[in-house]
Amino acid sequence: MTPITHNLTAVAFAVGVFAVLPTYEAAEFGFGCLLGGRAPDWLEIAGYSRFIDRRWSLIPHRTITHWPWLWMLLLVLSIPSVHYGGQGALAVTGAATGCLLHIGMDYLTPMGVPLGINPFGERSSLKWVRTGSIDELLVNLTAFAVTGVFWLF
């Protein structure tokens, strides 16, 4: 998926949260969700080299940063802090949720994500959406439609 698609889906989810949480809490969660929506990619510390004419990254693409179990653990560990009113806990919960949204969207693409025990092992994929295709627009429209349902009820 493209960065714009990841950002728009995180925005759709964050807007949906405003329908169910008070404003301050929704803003804190939404901020975390927006950061988490792109975090698996920027945590790879990637760049582009003109000398070798290719992309490079410190952490190989779609390995440990796209491993859902890591972000689920963060989500589970952050929930008690939300219950007890910890500072920034909703932002951390939102970031973990945004990361899981990102991984879920990448799971739809042919490259897939690692779902097994080994984050550097075989990737799984539904192969429904090609990166950069019109299908990404359908993913975003679906995300905003779900958000609309939250606002209706």
Side-chain angles (χ1 to χ4, degrees):
M1 296 280 181
T2 63
I4 292 170
T5 304
H6 286 302
N7 288 339
L8 287 175
T9 305
V11 166
F13 193 81
V15 168
V17 169
F18 273 92
V20 296
L21 284 179
T23 304
Y24 174 77
E25 286 85 357
E28 185 180 349
F29 183 90
F31 176 73
C33 193
L34 291 174
L35 289 177
R38 290 284 313 283
D41 286 338
W42 58 256
L43 284 172
E44 293 171 353
I45 309 169
Y48 182 81
S49 173
R50 290 182 296 174
F51 299 110
I52 58 174
D53 193 33
R54 59 182 279 210
R55 179 188 184 278
W56 61 269
S57 64
L58 193 60
I59 299 170
H61 188 54
R62 292 199 187 174
T63 56
I64 190 81
T65 61
H66 284 70
W67 197 42
W69 312 115
L70 178 70
W71 302 110
M72 283 186 213
L73 178 64
L74 178 63
L75 183 64
V76 167
L77 293 176
S78 69
I79 289 173
S81 295
V82 171
H83 178 70
Y84 293 110
Q87 288 289 1
L90 277 168
V92 173
T93 304
T97 304
C99 289
L100 289 169
L101 281 170
H102 178 114
I103 292 166
M105 291 174 57
D106 282 349
Y107 182 61
L108 300 174
T109 65
M111 190 174 185
V113 295
L115 294 180
I117 300 297
N118 180 3
F120 298 96
E122 186 176 338
R123 296 180 186 145
S124 299
S125 169
L126 291 178
K127 298 179 180 147
W128 288 354
V129 178
R130 288 232 174 263
T131 301
S133 71
I134 193 71
D135 298 340
E136 286 191 25
L137 175 64
L138 296 174
V139 170
N140 282 134
L141 290 175
T142 303
F144 279 100
V146 170
T147 298
V149 169
F150 273 100
W151 277 95
L152 290 175
F153 300 103

